[in-house]
Amino acid sequence: MYYTLTAPGNGKKERMAGTKGKETTEGAVLARNRAASHEFHLLDRFEAGIVLTGTEVKSIRSGRANIKDGYARVQDGEVFLHGAHISPYEPGHRENVDALRTRKLLLNAREIRKIGKETGATGVTLVPLSFYLKNGRIKVELALAKGKKAFDKREAIAKKDVEREMARARGARRVD
């Protein structure tokens, strides 16, 4: 059963081919890089289109993408996504492409120049944060990021633990 996505904001939920009964809404996150905020200080975010084949789109929509090891790089005035794994779409057979191939990202020239200048600085990289739907198209959220040191990671974990304990204490107080 195939349905098309309708205009955003109407609140309708649709089923798409290959989702096995799962419903998705416009703007739904299809893949997320959860490790990015743990591994990096996220400085600036960008939204980019991505050049995909038909079977890759179907595979991403069915939740078979992994961007944890992905990164983007500016090459000859264009931005490319490396290391993102999009599993082959099983019914696709000969239409499938390499799961780890390099994919072109679509940004405007001003954003590409800004990203190129920032990534030229030492220690700054461009990491993908998520794949999501927008107006029926798959978009990539990118972030300029600077690597965290080990003590930064420990500090973030300790802060999260303290916040969790405070939330538990507030919750226990309300029940009494």
Side-chain angles (χ1 to χ4, degrees):
M1 197 178 254
Y2 293 90
Y3 293 94
T4 57
L5 293 173
T6 57
N10 63 6
K12 285 187 179 179
K13 292 183 178 180
E14 296 99 19
R15 258 185 64 197
M16 293 178 290
T19 57
K20 296 183 182 176
K22 294 184 226 168
E23 293 179 341
T24 105
T25 58
E26 195 68 24
V29 175
L30 303 171
R32 178 171 282 138
N33 184 353
R34 293 174 181 252
S37 62
H38 179 70
E39 298 290 329
F40 301 99
H41 292 289
L42 303 178
L43 307 173
D44 199 5
R45 295 174 190 244
F46 299 92
E47 175 182 272
I50 184 168
V51 178
L52 298 169
T53 65
T55 55
E56 287 177 319
V57 170
K58 289 182 177 194
S59 187
I60 291 172
R61 285 187 172 197
S62 63
R64 297 178 46 98
N66 181 0
I67 57 176
K68 182 179 178 189
D69 296 329
Y71 62 96
R73 182 178 289 158
V74 178
Q75 298 170 343
D76 300 325
E78 297 179 326
V79 181
F80 293 93
L81 180 64
H82 300 271
H85 186 277
I86 299 174
S87 297
Y89 183 64
E90 290 174 12
H93 299 296
R94 70 172 183 258
E95 304 296 326
N96 285 325
V97 292
D98 181 31
L100 288 172
R101 76 180 182 93
T102 301
R103 295 166 181 90
K104 184 176 178 179
L105 298 178
L106 307 171
L107 292 152
N108 67 41
R110 185 179 66 245
E111 290 175 328
I112 293 172
R113 281 192 302 272
K114 180 179 179 179
I115 290 169
K117 190 180 348 173
E118 292 288 330
T119 56
T122 56
V124 178
T125 188
L126 190 60
V127 294
L129 300 179
S130 63
F131 284 150
Y132 61 93
L133 285 175
K134 182 176 180 183
N135 297 331
R137 309 228 183 232
I138 295 177
K139 301 288 184 177
V140 181
E141 183 181 12
L142 299 167
L144 285 170
K146 195 165 194 146
K148 284 185 180 179
K149 304 285 185 206
F151 65 86
D152 289 334
K153 294 177 189 178
R154 287 191 297 267
E155 187 177 299
I157 291 170
K159 183 178 177 183
K160 210 179 288 186
D161 287 343
V162 167
E163 289 173 1
R164 190 177 304 123
E165 289 298 321
M166 289 173 55
R168 283 185 189 150
R170 279 192 303 259
R173 215 176 304 136
R174 287 183 191 153
V175 174
D176 291 341

